[in-house]
Amino acid sequence: MCAMLSVNNLSISFGGLRAVDDFNIEIEKGELYGLIGPNGAGKTTVFNLLTGVYRPDEGRIFLEDRNITGLDTVEINKAGIARTFQNIRLFKDLSVLDNVKIGLHNIFTYPTISGILRLSSYFRIEKEMDERALELLKVFDLEKEKDSFAKNLPYGKQRKLEIARALATGPKLLLLDEPAAGMNPNETGELMDTIRFVRDEFDMTILLIEHDMKLVSGICEKLSVLNFGSVLSRGKTSEVLNDPEVIAAYLG
Amino acid sequence: MKFTKQTKRDLYTCVMVILFYVVIQVLDKAGVLSFHIKGLLVPLCYYSIAAVALNLVVGILGDLSLGHAGFMCVGAFSASLFSVAVKESGMPAGLRFLTALIIGTLMAALFGFLIGIPVLRLNGDYLAIVTLAFGEIIKNFLAAVYLGYDEEGLHVAFKSFQLKGEGKMLINGAMGIQGTPTDSTFTISIVILLLALFAIQNLVNSRAGRAIMAIRDNRIAAEAVGINITKYKMLAFTVSAAIAGTAGVLFSHNTSTLTASSTYFGYNVSILILVYVVLGGIGNIRGSIIATAILYILPELLRGLNSYRMLIYSIVLIVIMLINWAPAAIAFRERYGIRAFIGRKRENSGKEVS
Ligand SMILES: Nc1ncnc2c1ncn2[C@@H]1O[C@H](COP(=O)(O)OP(=O)(O)OP(=O)(O)O)[C@@H](O)[C@H]1O
Ligand SMILES: [Mg+2]
C-alpha cells in the first residue's frame, strides 16, 4: 500500500526568494494532517504546487501511485485533489446551490446540446445534480440558503460552502487553506466537528493549513511545520507541538 | 411539471416578446402604424438578437467584445451571397431563406471560433481592442473584395474587373451585394428572436452555462473544480458569434442592397449594441431586449425634433444608466428581490493565488 500523497524534495523560487525549499510530506489514506507555520512560510505556495497552479522547480508529487507532477490544475482536480482558498473564492454572483453544482461539473455530465434543446438527459441529470448538491449542503447546514447568492452569505458560511464545493468534485484528497480564518470560537468548534464528519463519512484524506492552534491540536493527527519554505519538524501532533525548535520558531 | 424560478423568468421574457408581437399586429390591423414605424420592426428584432448574443459574451462570460458587428457582417454577406446565387434557380423562397439563415449562422460561428482561438487568450481591454480590430478587418475586407463568375469560372479580386460573356457580379467592391431577396418579415424576425432566446437562456441554465458563469465569477476557482476554461470560453464566444450572424442574415434580407459600410457594420455598431447590453443590465437577457426596444425606437420617434434629438437621446441614456447603476437603485432592487440586473465588480486578476 502506498500513501495517499507523497511529495519528494519539492522546491520553487520566485525571483530570488525560495518560497518552498525541499519540501517532503507523506500522508496516509484517511489521515487528518495539519500544515502550520508563521506567515509567509510558504504554506499556501505548497497548496499551489500540489494543485498545479505553479510548476515546481524541483521535486515530485505522487497521488497514491500516480505521478501528478506538472499536470495542470484541471487535470489534478480530475486526478482527485480538491482545495479551498485562503481568500475565499466563490462564484459570488451565483446561488449557493449552483456553486456546489459547478463542483459536480465532471461528476454528472450531459452534452451541451441536450442542455440547449432540453432533451431528457438534461432533466434527468440536473435532478440528480440537485439531489447530490442538496445532500452536500445538508452536511454543512447550508440547505436553507441554497437560493441565496454566495456573496450574501456570512463569512463562516462562505468558508463552509467552499468546502462543500470542493467535496462535490469527488476528491480523494482535500486541501483546506485556513478554513477557520475569520470564524468565532463557536463557529470554529462546529467546523472541527464538520471536518471530522467529512473525514469519517466521505472516507476523506485531509491536509489543512491553520493558524488556530486549538483546531490544529484538536483534530490533526499529524503535523508538518514550515518555516522559511522548509520543513522544521514533522510527525505526531503532540510530539511536534512539544518540539523545542517549533516552540522557538512558531509557537513561542 | 414544476418550473424553477429561473425557468419562469425565462418564460416571461418570451411572453413579453410574443405580447409585443400581438400588440403590433393589432395596431397594424387598426391602421395606426405609419409606414415609417413598420420599417423599424425588423431592425428592432435583429438588433435585439445581436444584443442578446453579445450579452452572452459580455454578461455571462464576462469578456468585453467590440467585434460583434463583424460577425453580423459575416452572416449578412455569406447568406446574401447564397440567396443571390440561387435566386433564379427556382428554389422556393421559404426554403431559400431557411438555408440562408443556416449558412449565415454557421459562417459566423466558424469566424467566431477561428477568431476566438487567439483572442480568448487575452483579458479585459486587450480582448476588447483585438475583437474590435477583427470586426474592422472583416468589414473592410468585404468592402474591398470583388467576386463574380462567368463562363471561365469564379473570379475574386481587390479591384473591379470585366466579366466575359454571360456572367454575374456577386460582390461588387464597395457597392456590395445587389438584389438580395427581401425575405425578412417581422413575423420571421420575431420567431428567430424567440429561438435565440430559447437557445441562450437554456444554455445559460445548463451545466455548460454554469461553467461559463463560474469562469466569469472566479477563473481560478473554476479551474480548481476541474472546469476547462478554454473550452467554455470558446463555446460562449462561438455561440454568441453564430447568433450575431443570424441577426446579420435578417439584416441583409431586409433590403435588397448590402454594403459593408461603417454605418452598418463598423465598430460604432458594435458599440451601439454594447450600449443596449449595458443599459439593459449586464447579464440580463430580458433587459437587453427592453433596452434595444427603447433605445432603437426612441431616436426614430424623435426625428421631428431634429437638432434636439441626440440631446434627448443622451439624457435618456444617462437616466437609464443612473436607474441601473446608482447604489440606491441597486439596494432597492436587492431589497425587493427584483434581480433586474447583476452589478458585479471584476475579481482582481493578480498572479498570486491565495
Ligand atoms: N506568485 C508569487 N510571486 C512572488 N512571490 C510569491 C508568489 N506566491 C507566493 N510568494 C511569496 O512566497 C512566500 C510564501 O507565501 P505563502 O502565501 O505561501 O505563505 P503562507 O505560509 O501561506 O503565509 P500566510 O500564513 O500568511 O498565508 C511569501 O513571501 C510570498 O510573498
Ligand atoms: Mg497562506
Side-chain angles (χ1 to χ4, degrees):
Chain A
M1 263 304 286
C2 54
M4 178 55 74
L5 180 75
S6 23
V7 173
N8 306 323
N9 312 96
L10 203 62
S11 301
I12 190 169
S13 301
F14 298 113
L17 175 82
R18 208 153 167 85
V20 172
D21 187 9
D22 201 22
F23 178 81
N24 291 281
I25 203 168
E26 192 120 324
I27 304 179
E28 299 299 329
K29 185 169 170 17
E31 243 168 15
L32 237 165
Y33 202 114
L35 181 59
I36 61 173
N39 291 110
K43 305 179 295 293
T44 299
T45 306
V46 167
F47 274 20
N48 285 336
L49 287 166
L50 294 179
T51 54
V53 175
Y54 304 140
R55 252 157 231 262
D57 296 339
E58 286 157 45
R60 293 194 300 173
I61 306 166
F62 287 88
L63 186 67
E64 293 183 311
D65 51 2
R66 179 163 177 211
N67 186 350
I68 57 166
T69 323
L71 296 187
D72 68 31
T73 309
V74 172
E75 290 168 310
I76 286 181
N77 177 261
K78 287 182 179 167
I81 300 183
R83 74 177 287 187
T84 65
F85 296 89
Q86 184 172 353
N87 305 335
I88 301 174
R89 289 178 174 274
L90 288 170
F91 307 123
K92 51 190 166 48
D93 285 322
L94 297 176
S95 73
V96 167
L97 185 72
D98 278 349
N99 267 269
V100 179
K101 285 172 83 176
I102 290 166
L104 295 169
H105 184 83
N106 291 323
I107 308 290
F108 295 91
T109 67
Y110 56 83
T112 301
I113 194 68
S114 131
I116 294 177
L117 299 179
R118 296 276 154 118
L119 305 181
S120 68
S121 67
Y122 163 84
F123 291 102
R124 197 181 66 244
I125 306 285
E126 283 286 321
K127 188 159 164 279
E128 286 174 21
M129 285 176 115
D130 282 339
E131 287 165 4
R132 188 74 227 282
L134 276 174
E135 270 171 39
L136 281 164
L137 287 179
K138 245 179 220 138
V139 170
F140 294 90
D141 198 22
L142 284 167
E143 76 269 34
K144 277 199 287 300
E145 284 92 348
K146 73 180 169 71
D147 294 320
S148 325
F149 285 123
K151 65 177 173 198
N152 292 340
L153 287 183
Y155 198 74
K157 294 199 170 190
Q158 294 200 4
R159 288 231 172 261
K160 287 183 175 182
L161 177 55
E162 252 205 331
I163 304 177
R165 181 184 68 188
L167 270 182
T169 66
K172 298 174 184 163
L173 173 67
L174 185 60
L175 310 179
L176 306 176
D177 198 344
E178 303 198 14
M183 288 188 176
N184 61 36
N186 235 342
E187 289 176 311
T188 306
E190 277 174 36
L191 182 71
M192 286 165 69
D193 293 338
T194 314
I195 292 174
R196 271 197 217 99
F197 179 83
V198 166
R199 192 263 303 268
D200 299 341
E201 204 67 9
F202 294 81
D203 219 1
M204 193 61 56
T205 310
I206 299 174
L207 172 62
L208 62 87
I209 297 174
E210 192 47 73
H211 285 295
D212 186 322
M213 291 317 292
K214 206 177 118 244
L215 184 144
V216 170
S217 55
I219 64 175
C220 295
E221 288 131 13
K222 282 192 190 161
L223 286 185
S224 279
V225 185
L226 212 56
N227 196 23
F228 295 115
S230 44
V231 180
L232 194 65
S233 172
R234 60 172 171 151
K236 287 221 175 65
T237 300
S238 54
E239 287 162 19
V240 170
L241 291 182
N242 290 318
D243 184 335
E245 253 191 293
V246 173
I247 294 172
Y250 181 51
L251 301 171
Chain B
M1 195 161 71
K2 215 173 103 238
F3 289 125
T4 62
K5 251 200 218 153
Q6 188 58 49
T7 315
K8 269 190 211 146
R9 218 172 288 155
D10 294 350
L11 278 176
Y12 291 151
T13 309
C14 296
V15 169
M16 180 189 85
V17 171
I18 294 168
L19 276 180
F20 173 74
Y21 176 74
V22 171
V23 168
I24 291 291
Q25 291 302 319
V26 170
L27 291 178
D28 190 23
K29 286 277 167 348
V32 198
L33 296 182
S34 67
F35 186 71
H36 177 61
I37 290 285
K38 279 201 262 184
L40 301 179
L41 294 174
V42 172
L44 174 59
C45 289
Y46 58 66
Y47 283 125
S48 294
I49 294 168
V52 167
L54 183 61
N55 208 342
L56 179 61
V57 168
V58 174
I60 307 299
L61 177 62
D63 275 335
L64 185 54
S65 161
L66 291 178
H68 267 54
F71 298 128
M72 283 181 76
C73 193
V74 169
F77 270 79
S78 54
S80 268
L81 211 52
F82 167 79
S83 294
V84 168
V86 301
K87 205 162 71 171
E88 265 110 52
S89 72
M91 192 173 185
L95 180 64
R96 181 186 64 208
F97 192 39
L98 182 67
T99 316
L101 281 163
I102 293 170
I103 289 176
T105 306
L106 290 182
M107 282 303 285
L110 177 69
F111 272 73
F113 182 80
L114 293 177
I115 291 174
I117 294 171
V119 158
L120 291 175
R121 292 168 186 277
L122 304 169
N123 280 321
D125 305 342
Y126 298 103
L127 187 125
I129 289 165
V130 176
T131 48
L132 184 145
F134 270 112
E136 289 297 292
I137 291 170
I138 291 171
K139 181 206 76 190
N140 288 328
F141 175 83
L142 287 168
V145 75
Y146 291 81
L147 177 71
Y149 65 85
D150 56 20
E151 47 202 34
E152 287 178 3
L154 213 56
H155 302 273
V156 189
F158 283 105
K159 56 183 199 303
S160 163
F161 52 81
Q162 284 298 312
L163 294 170
K164 293 196 181 68
E166 281 279 293
K168 193 164 149 190
M169 276 316 274
L170 292 172
I171 304 178
N172 204 348
M175 311 261 282
I177 299 179
Q178 302 287 332
T180 307
T182 50
D183 291 330
S184 297
T185 65
F186 179 48
T187 306
I188 292 175
S189 305
I190 285 283
V191 169
I192 291 170
L193 173 58
L194 287 171
L195 285 175
L197 276 175
F198 178 83
I200 289 186
Q201 289 177 332
N202 284 353
L203 174 67
V204 170
N205 296 308
S206 72
R207 176 175 166 271
R210 281 192 300 267
I212 294 167
M213 292 186 286
I215 296 169
R216 170 196 71 189
D217 276 6
N218 202 312
R219 190 199 156 109
I220 288 165
E223 269 182 321
V225 296
I227 286 169
N228 183 336
I229 307 284
T230 314
K231 174 178 164 188
Y232 287 103
K233 277 190 147 197
M234 288 298 288
L235 176 72
F237 199 71
T238 306
V239 170
S240 174
I243 293 173
T246 322
V249 182
L250 289 175
F251 176 100
S252 71
H253 289 68
N254 193 37
T255 50
S256 61
T257 306
L258 174 66
T259 57
S261 76
S262 296
T263 323
Y264 304 125
F265 299 115
Y267 65 87
N268 46 323
V269 176
S270 294
I271 289 172
L272 187 78
I273 300 168
L274 182 66
V275 168
Y276 299 154
V277 170
V278 171
L279 292 186
I282 292 172
N284 181 341
I285 304 290
R286 189 194 306 167
S288 297
I289 298 178
I290 297 173
T292 309
I294 294 173
L295 295 178
Y296 182 72
I297 300 286
L298 189 74
E300 300 294 336
L301 293 183
L302 293 176
R303 248 179 219 290
L305 295 172
N306 263 325
S307 48
Y308 293 112
R309 189 164 80 104
M310 287 326 283
L311 178 67
I312 296 179
Y313 183 74
S314 312
I315 291 173
V316 170
L317 279 189
I318 293 168
V319 169
I320 298 184
M321 203 65 180
L322 286 177
I323 291 175
N324 258 343
W325 286 96
I330 292 173
F332 177 86
R333 274 194 308 270
E334 280 187 358
R335 185 141 14 99
Y336 296 99
I338 311 162
R339 195 185 149 219
F341 155 87
I342 306 167
R344 98 198 130 70
K345 280 203 220 97
R346 260 179 177 285
E347 187 77 4
N348 61 350
S349 46
K351 278 211 76 184
E352 207 163 323
V353 176
S354 55

